[in-house]
């Protein structure tokens, strides 16, 4: 089979950090190639060089057998290469058709009727479910992703690079995407899939290329691969890929949430009359399509969101209960209630990007000392412990965390929050963007907290993990509660349907 892209001895450095070293690999025409590697292994950097965002320091890139220079995304597009990033490049107030038209070359005539005809033909050919008249702000995440792919194909892309495309999709949406990718493969398009979900890799790809610490390890035929083999190649050692889920012991009610209603700053109701209980010694999963109120739910519990008048969040301590509505995070902490929160926005809300690990650890304790000088000994010890136990890849504990990869930033945040000895631990997408090895480390840490009697709330997007990890799963749909399921007996299809089809009234069941 002929090569669509060939990389030969490609190296890329950023200062003293080598992101890719002497990487050589091939993408064949009409195949889906999965690209695997731990966080910081150089997957996205490598693909960014093909997409024209970075330029290699050494090595050569061949497209369709011809050596090329890709110095910008425009160069990549001219070669038929497009990269679909996790954060979409769309104008919210424009329709799908208008967003497609934005990709026209300056020399092309702006004929909206002709653009509609051509875009419609692409949608029909590959069976895209896309309303060209719909505004982007009205679209689901899946529809926005579809629009990005149609945009790329409209501009003539034959090679597509998808960065974590299923991260926030339901199982049903993921299957639709995979059907589209299979149709593209039949049409001799070539696809690179960057993902951490090994079961998806085995389902959709033809071959799997693995990077480890910036270096190419090898490529295997998917038909010959297993999850344990791929993980061992990524990590360099055998990794246990089982989530141990114990039965909750002596569960006690820690949170009682009744009639929780939250409005956005624009006055839009994002949570509508939510009610459920949270118990110690259990992991409660929160499932829902991205943007259905998961973020606001955790923020309301943490004291970071205003709530409607009739809302109630009651904390049950060992000796007394307390109403949390109207309390700020500081007041909650001063009342002796240890809530730990790993927010979705790692650097915007969880950590200060310009600070190193030590100073970010200090954010939890800077005002607890008796001296006017901040105590750095404890935070330093904690930073070193988190770095060691979670394998944070950083030049040093004083290096600004904004310079770390997304996965390593998440390790710092999770490690800090768990170290605070919480009574209630809330995590929003704790393993988003993390490699399989680190993800399982986080799952084990959450289980350890559960077994210590901590009440754990886990907001996640991988339904397989929710079903393996959580004791109960509360499903959100359109900002309403749509059912409470037993994590041991529920199915992925059952959860997916509740995420997308609101029952009458919603609420806990």
């Amino acid at each position: 089979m002929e090569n669509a892209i060939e990389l030969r001895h490609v190296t890329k450095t950023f200062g003293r950090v080598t992101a890719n070293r002497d990487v050589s690999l091939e993408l064949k025409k009409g195949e889906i190639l999965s690209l695997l590697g731990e966080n910081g292994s150089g997957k996205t950097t490598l693909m960014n060089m093909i997409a024209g965002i970075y330029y290699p320091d050494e090595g050569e890139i061949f497209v369709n057998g011809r050596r090329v220079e890709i110095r910008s995304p425009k160069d990549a597009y001219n070669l038929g290469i497009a990269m679909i990033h996790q954060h979409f490049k769309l104008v919210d107030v424009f329709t799908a058709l208008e967003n497609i038209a934005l990709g026209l070359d300056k020399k092309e005539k702006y004929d909206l009727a002709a653009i509609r005809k051509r875009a419609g033909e692409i949608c029909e050919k590959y069976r895209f479910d896309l309303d060209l008249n719909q505004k982007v702000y009205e679209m689901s995440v899946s529809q926005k992703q579809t629009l990005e792919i149609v945009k790329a194909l409209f501009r003539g892309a034959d090679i597509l690079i998808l960065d974590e495309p299923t991260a926030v999709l339901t199982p049903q949406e993921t299957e639709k995407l995979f059907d589209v990718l299979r149709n593209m493969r039949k049409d001799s398009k070539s696809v690179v899939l960057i993902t951490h979900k090994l079961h998806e890799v085995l389902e959709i790809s033809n071959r799997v290329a693995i990077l480890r610490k910036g270096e190419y390890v090898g490529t295997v035929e998917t038909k010959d691969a297993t999850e344990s083999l791929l993980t061992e190649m990524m990590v360099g050692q055998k990794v246990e890929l089982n989530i141990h889920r114990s039965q909750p012991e002596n569960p006690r009610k820690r949170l009682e949430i009744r009639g929780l209603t939250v409005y956005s700053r624009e006055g839009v109701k994002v949570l509508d009359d939510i009610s459920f209980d949270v118990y110690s010694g259990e992991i409660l999963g929160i499932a829902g399509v991205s943007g259905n109120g998961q973020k606001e739910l955790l923020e309301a519990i943490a004291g970071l969101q205003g709530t409607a008048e009739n809302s109630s969040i009651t904390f049950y301590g060992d000796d007394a209960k307390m109403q949390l509505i109207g309390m700020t995070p500081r007041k909650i902490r001063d009342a002796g209630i240890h809530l730990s929160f790993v927010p979705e926005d790692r650097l915007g809300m969880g950590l200060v990007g310009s600070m190193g690990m030590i100073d970010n650890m200090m954010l939890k304790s800077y005002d607890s000392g008796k001296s006017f000088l901040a105590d750095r000994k404890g935070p330093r010890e904690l930073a070193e412990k988190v770095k060691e136990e979670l394998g944070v890849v950083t030049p040093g504990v004083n290096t600004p965390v904004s310079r770390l990869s997304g996965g390593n930033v998440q390790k710092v945040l999770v490690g800090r929050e768990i170290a605070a000895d919480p009574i209630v631990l809330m995590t929003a997408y704790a393993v988003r963007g993390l490699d399989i090895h680190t993800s399982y480390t986080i799952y084990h840490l959450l289980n350890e907290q559960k077994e210590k009697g901590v009440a754990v709330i886990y907001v996640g997007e991988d339904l397989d993990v929710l079903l393996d990890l959580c004791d109960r799963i509360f499903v959100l749909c359109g900002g309403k509660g749509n059912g409470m399921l037993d994590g041991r007996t529920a199915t992925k299809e059952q959860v997916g349907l509740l995420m997308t089809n609101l029952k009458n009234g919603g609420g806990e069941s």
Side-chain angles (χ1 to χ4, degrees):
M1 196 182 294
E2 196 178 343
N3 289 336
I5 290 180
E6 182 182 356
L7 304 179
R8 295 183 187 172
H9 308 293
V10 169
T11 295
K12 181 65 182 176
T13 59
F14 299 95
R16 292 180 296 170
V17 178
T18 301
N20 295 119
R21 179 185 289 108
D22 195 27
V23 175
S24 297
L25 61 82
E26 301 165 350
L27 170 68
K28 300 182 184 300
K29 287 187 177 179
E31 81 160 348
I32 298 174
L33 175 73
S34 290
L35 187 60
L36 286 180
E38 291 190 276
N39 295 115
S41 62
K43 304 183 299 295
T44 303
T45 299
L46 191 68
M47 291 301 101
N48 279 338
M49 284 187 273
I50 296 173
I53 295 169
Y54 297 143
Y55 188 77
D57 299 328
E58 298 175 21
E60 299 173 305
I61 300 176
F62 292 79
V63 176
N64 297 321
R66 181 170 61 90
R67 187 180 184 280
V68 296
E69 299 275 337
I70 307 176
R71 295 185 175 273
S72 69
K74 186 176 180 182
D75 288 346
Y77 262 114
N78 290 338
L79 291 165
I81 302 168
M83 185 167 178
I84 313 298
H85 299 271
Q86 292 183 58
H87 303 289
F88 306 131
K89 319 287 186 189
L90 300 169
V91 180
D92 280 357
V93 296
F94 284 6
T95 64
L97 185 65
E98 290 165 343
N99 271 278
I100 292 169
L102 289 175
L104 285 175
D105 191 279
K106 290 180 181 178
K107 298 174 184 176
E108 294 183 74
K109 183 181 178 183
Y110 184 80
D111 182 345
L112 213 53
I115 296 168
R116 180 184 296 277
K117 182 174 182 293
R118 194 166 136 213
E121 290 169 352
I122 290 171
C123 291
E124 186 176 347
K125 181 177 183 178
Y126 297 107
R127 298 181 186 175
F128 287 110
D129 183 14
L130 184 66
D131 180 359
L132 295 173
N133 295 317
Q134 189 176 10
K135 300 277 191 182
V136 169
Y137 65 77
E138 298 172 335
M139 292 181 177
S140 67
V141 175
S142 173
Q143 290 170 320
K144 291 177 183 177
Q145 185 179 75
T146 299
L147 174 54
E148 285 281 25
I149 296 173
V150 172
K151 269 176 58 184
L153 295 174
F154 186 89
R155 293 181 66 174
D158 293 313
I159 299 165
L160 254 71
I161 303 165
L162 304 177
D163 191 0
E164 298 285 353
T166 65
V168 290
L169 301 186
T170 64
Q172 291 85 348
E173 290 170 335
T174 297
E175 194 50 50
K176 274 187 184 179
L177 173 65
F178 285 179
D179 285 341
V180 167
L181 296 183
R182 292 184 185 106
N183 288 333
M184 291 170 62
R185 178 170 57 190
K186 288 177 187 173
D187 195 37
S188 297
K189 304 288 186 187
S190 302
V191 179
V192 179
L193 200 65
I194 303 174
T195 181
H196 289 119
K197 299 181 181 179
L198 297 186
H199 60 280
E200 293 180 356
V201 168
L202 296 174
E203 178 184 347
I204 191 66
S205 61
N206 298 96
R207 296 185 305 139
V208 188
I210 293 103
L211 298 180
R212 189 195 310 148
K213 296 180 180 178
E215 297 184 358
Y216 173 68
V217 175
T219 300
V220 295
E221 297 284 334
T222 307
K223 60 182 175 60
D224 301 324
T226 62
E227 288 194 10
S228 56
L229 170 67
L230 296 176
T231 306
E232 188 175 343
M233 290 179 72
M234 280 194 295
V235 179
Q237 62 186 38
K238 287 188 179 294
V239 177
E240 188 66 42
L241 296 180
N242 292 318
I243 298 176
H244 169 69
R245 175 170 53 190
S246 58
Q247 287 285 350
E249 289 190 16
N250 304 317
R252 298 185 55 182
K253 187 188 289 186
R254 286 303 188 194
L255 291 175
E256 181 183 85
I257 296 163
R258 294 290 180 267
L260 181 62
T261 299
V262 175
Y263 290 87
S264 70
R265 291 176 183 174
E266 294 77 25
V268 177
K269 188 184 286 186
V270 289
L271 284 177
D272 186 5
D273 195 23
I274 299 293
S275 298
F276 62 90
D277 297 327
V278 182
Y279 292 88
S280 65
E282 77 159 2
I283 298 179
L284 173 66
I286 307 292
V289 176
S290 179
N292 270 239
Q294 301 94 313
K295 171 177 175 285
E296 290 79 8
L297 172 60
L298 298 195
E299 288 181 359
I301 297 171
L304 294 166
Q305 278 277 2
T307 58
E309 284 184 11
N310 295 328
S311 300
S312 170
I313 302 174
T314 308
F315 172 79
Y316 286 79
D318 293 333
D319 304 315
K321 63 181 183 179
M322 187 176 299
Q323 182 56 234
L324 301 187
I325 293 291
M327 295 180 72
T328 63
R330 181 182 286 273
K331 286 182 178 177
I332 292 173
R333 188 188 67 184
D334 291 345
I337 301 170
H338 292 189
L339 290 182
S340 281
F341 179 29
V342 179
E344 180 180 5
D345 188 355
R346 302 166 184 173
L347 289 176
M349 182 182 290
L351 301 169
V352 178
S354 60
M355 291 181 176
M357 286 182 65
I358 295 174
D359 290 338
N360 272 290
M361 299 298 160
M362 276 181 59
L363 292 177
K364 281 277 188 178
S365 60
Y366 72 93
D367 61 349
S368 60
K370 297 178 180 178
S371 167
F372 62 88
L373 294 174
D375 175 21
R376 294 176 63 85
K377 183 180 177 183
R380 175 179 287 279
E381 290 174 352
L382 177 57
E384 294 287 359
K385 182 181 178 184
V386 169
K387 179 176 179 287
E388 177 69 24
E389 292 185 358
L390 295 187
V392 179
V393 179
T394 176
V397 290
N398 286 311
T399 300
V401 295
S402 60
R403 296 184 189 173
L404 309 184
S405 70
N408 285 302
V409 170
Q410 187 72 326
K411 292 179 191 178
V412 174
L413 181 53
V414 171
R416 185 189 71 185
E417 294 303 307
I418 287 178
D421 293 325
I423 297 172
V424 178
L425 170 62
M426 301 183 291
T427 69
Y429 309 107
V431 299
R432 179 183 281 173
L434 296 186
D435 57 73
I436 191 76
H437 185 207
T438 308
S439 295
Y440 275 81
T441 300
I442 299 296
Y443 303 147
H444 295 325
L445 286 172
L446 295 180
N447 265 314
E448 284 176 7
Q449 294 300 301
K450 162 188 165 178
E451 290 168 5
K452 288 179 182 178
V454 176
V456 181
I457 303 176
Y458 177 87
V459 174
E461 53 211 358
D462 189 327
L463 296 191
D464 291 294
V465 171
L466 280 165
L467 293 169
D468 286 344
L469 178 69
C470 301
D471 299 289
R472 294 183 299 143
I473 301 171
F474 183 67
V475 185
L476 287 171
C477 179
K480 293 176 179 284
N482 207 28
M484 181 73 78
L485 302 172
D486 185 331
R488 290 170 173 78
T489 59
T491 66
K492 191 159 68 168
E493 291 71 26
Q494 187 180 6
V495 179
L497 282 172
L498 286 175
M499 287 166 61
T500 52
N501 295 285
L502 186 65
K503 298 188 299 185
N504 291 334
E508 181 172 357
S509 62

